């Protein structure tokens, strides 16, 4: 049985004639008769009393009628809803964003996407980059923003930011007047660090160890503005991306080029390799790639 059997049955019940039903459906009368007979054989009952010139429903036919109407209506509604999904009039996208990434890059992008596709909901989940990777991999998120590199066997990606971390210190710090600072010169400084679910939680200490020391981490936070405020209060030094440094208050802190080594901060939109992406998520990827590479961005 398929939905066409039920549609032909409903039209025949409505017209009380195989011939008129065939005309309405633009098929031949034998086609209608065959479809109805196939349905009757499958159900094991007669649906129509054919003993008179005008066919009428049997009691079994009356019982099937109500269910058939409901089934056909549901299929038609499903077709409409799928059409809305395919044409991006409906849908939802789950996107993971590390807290320090959202504000600088995404409010205008999300607003522009919403204007174009008002029926698509965007659910933002703020987590550190490492957590975003895990949740994209396990399917809890459709897409996410992560710090490169990510595992190319697990994720597809496009990169949209390539920056370096800068040293952020109190404006009266001993290094505040320097144009550049070697990482090794921070060996005796207290560090203000992102929490452990952030990619930088591992990357900064690794760079420090390569420079010959283990950083003294005195405070951890998930908020870049709080870390910069702590630096502005003279409690320690922070290493923050260039984009974030452009938002800092120059009356309180100074940001300085970090060298020997520099620490890269490359951002990418990631999604699970070979995983299913909804029509809405695919359109988000297309739209966001175009938006993030606009010259004014």
């Amino acid at each position: 049985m398929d939905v066409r059997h039920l549609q032909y049955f409903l039209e025949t019940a409505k017209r009380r004639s195989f011939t008129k039903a065939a005309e309405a459906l633009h098929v031949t009368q034998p086609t209608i008769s065959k479809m109805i007979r196939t349905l009757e054989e499958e159900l094991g009952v007669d649906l129509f009393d054919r003993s008179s010139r005008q066919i009428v429903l049997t009691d079994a036919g009356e019982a099937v009628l109500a269910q058939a109407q409901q089934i056909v209506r549901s299929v038609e509604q499903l077709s409409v809803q799928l059409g809305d999904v395919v044409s991006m009039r409906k849908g939802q996208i789950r996107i993971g964003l590390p807290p320090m990434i959202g504000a600088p890059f995404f409010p205008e992008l999300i607003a522009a996407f919403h204007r174009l596709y008002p029926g698509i909901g965007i659910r933002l989940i703020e987590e550190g980059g490492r957590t975003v990777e895990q949740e994209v991999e396990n399917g809890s998120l459709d897409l996410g923003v992560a710090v490169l590199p990510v595992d190319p066997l697990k994720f597809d990606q496009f990169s949209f930011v390539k920056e370096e971390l800068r040293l952020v210190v109190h404006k009266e710090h001993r290094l505040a007047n320097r144009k550049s600072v070697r990482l090794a010169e921070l060996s005796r400084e207290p560090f203000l660090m992102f929490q452990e679910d952030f990619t930088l939680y591992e990357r900064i200490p690794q760079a420090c160890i390569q420079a010959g020391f283990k950083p003294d981490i005195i405070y951890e936070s998930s908020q870049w503005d709080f870390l910069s405020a702590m630096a502005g209060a003279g409690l320690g030094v922070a290493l923050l991306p260039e984009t974030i440094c452009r938002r800092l208050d120059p009356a309180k802190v100074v940001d300085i080029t970090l060298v020997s080594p520099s620490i890269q901060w490359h951002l990418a939109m990631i999604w699970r390799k070979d995983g299913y992406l909804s029509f809405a998520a695919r359109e988000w990827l297309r739209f966001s790639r175009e938006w993030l590479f606009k010259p004014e961005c």
Side-chain angles (χ1 to χ4, degrees):
M1 181 194 307
D2 63 34
V3 71
R4 282 189 309 154
H5 288 87
L6 298 179
Q7 289 171 330
Y8 285 15
F9 164 70
L10 289 175
E11 194 64 34
T12 303
K14 176 182 177 182
R15 306 283 177 178
R16 294 176 179 254
S17 165
F18 292 114
T19 302
K20 292 180 179 179
E23 292 173 354
L25 293 168
H26 306 291
V27 297
T28 64
Q29 189 270 333
T31 298
I32 286 280
S33 297
K34 183 179 179 180
M35 282 283 195
I36 298 300
R37 181 59 67 189
T38 299
L39 183 59
E40 289 177 324
E41 290 174 356
E42 187 167 346
L43 295 175
V45 295
D46 288 334
L47 299 175
F48 293 102
D49 179 355
R50 299 169 172 82
S51 61
S52 60
R53 293 188 61 184
Q54 188 178 55
I55 62 173
V56 294
L57 287 168
T58 63
D59 55 350
E62 292 284 0
V64 171
L65 179 65
Q67 294 299 319
Q69 289 172 330
Q70 183 176 343
I71 291 169
V72 170
R73 190 179 304 115
S74 295
V75 171
E76 290 172 347
Q77 289 174 349
L78 177 61
S79 297
V80 171
Q81 290 174 2
L82 285 176
D84 285 343
V85 170
V86 172
S87 61
M88 268 73 74
R89 288 194 291 268
K90 285 184 178 180
Q92 186 178 69
I93 314 170
R94 301 162 300 171
I95 304 175
L97 289 179
M100 69 173 168
I101 292 172
F105 298 104
F106 284 88
E108 292 185 4
L109 165 57
I110 292 171
F113 187 83
H114 179 71
R115 286 194 294 270
L116 191 60
Y117 302 111
I120 296 179
I122 295 179
R123 183 183 175 197
L124 297 177
I125 292 88
E126 290 191 298
E127 300 282 1
R130 293 166 64 187
T131 301
V132 168
E133 286 185 48
Q134 293 168 3
E135 294 191 355
V136 170
E137 183 181 359
N138 67 30
S140 298
L141 295 173
D142 301 305
L143 310 154
V145 174
V147 179
L148 294 180
V150 296
D151 188 341
L153 298 178
K154 295 179 179 178
F155 303 105
D156 285 323
Q157 53 90 11
F158 73 82
S159 175
F160 61 92
V161 169
K162 292 186 177 181
E163 296 183 352
E164 296 178 351
L165 300 186
R166 294 179 65 81
L167 172 64
V168 177
V169 300
H170 184 271
K171 65 177 183 177
E172 295 181 359
H173 190 277
R174 63 182 180 87
L175 300 172
N177 294 324
R178 296 273 294 275
K179 291 185 177 180
S180 65
V181 173
R182 290 180 295 108
L183 185 57
E185 294 180 76
L186 305 178
S187 60
R188 296 184 180 180
E189 296 288 339
F191 274 71
L192 307 167
M193 186 74 69
F194 286 102
Q195 292 176 344
E196 62 179 338
D197 62 332
F198 285 73
T199 305
L200 293 179
Y201 180 85
E202 285 187 353
R203 192 158 300 174
I204 292 173
Q206 287 173 352
C208 292
I209 290 171
Q210 291 174 358
F213 71 99
K214 183 178 180 180
D216 176 21
I217 301 173
I218 65 165
Y219 188 80
E220 298 173 9
S221 174
S222 64
Q223 304 297 323
W224 63 263
D225 52 350
F226 199 59
L227 291 177
S228 65
M230 298 280 277
L235 295 176
V237 301
L239 302 182
L240 299 177
E242 295 173 42
T243 294
I244 300 301
C245 289
R246 288 193 287 270
R247 303 165 69 91
L248 302 182
D249 185 352
K252 296 180 179 179
V253 295
V254 175
D255 61 281
I256 306 163
T257 301
L258 185 67
V259 296
S260 301
S262 60
I263 302 176
Q264 305 301 307
W265 192 68
H266 294 177
L267 298 181
M269 188 80 68
I270 66 169
W271 58 101
R272 189 172 55 175
K273 201 175 191 69
D274 301 324
Y276 173 75
L277 279 179
S278 68
F279 289 96
R282 278 179 264 171
E283 181 58 16
W284 166 267
L285 283 176
R286 184 205 66 77
F287 186 87
S288 61
R289 190 193 301 257
E290 183 177 290
W291 177 274
L292 290 167
F293 289 122
K294 284 172 28 176
E296 59 266 31
C297 289

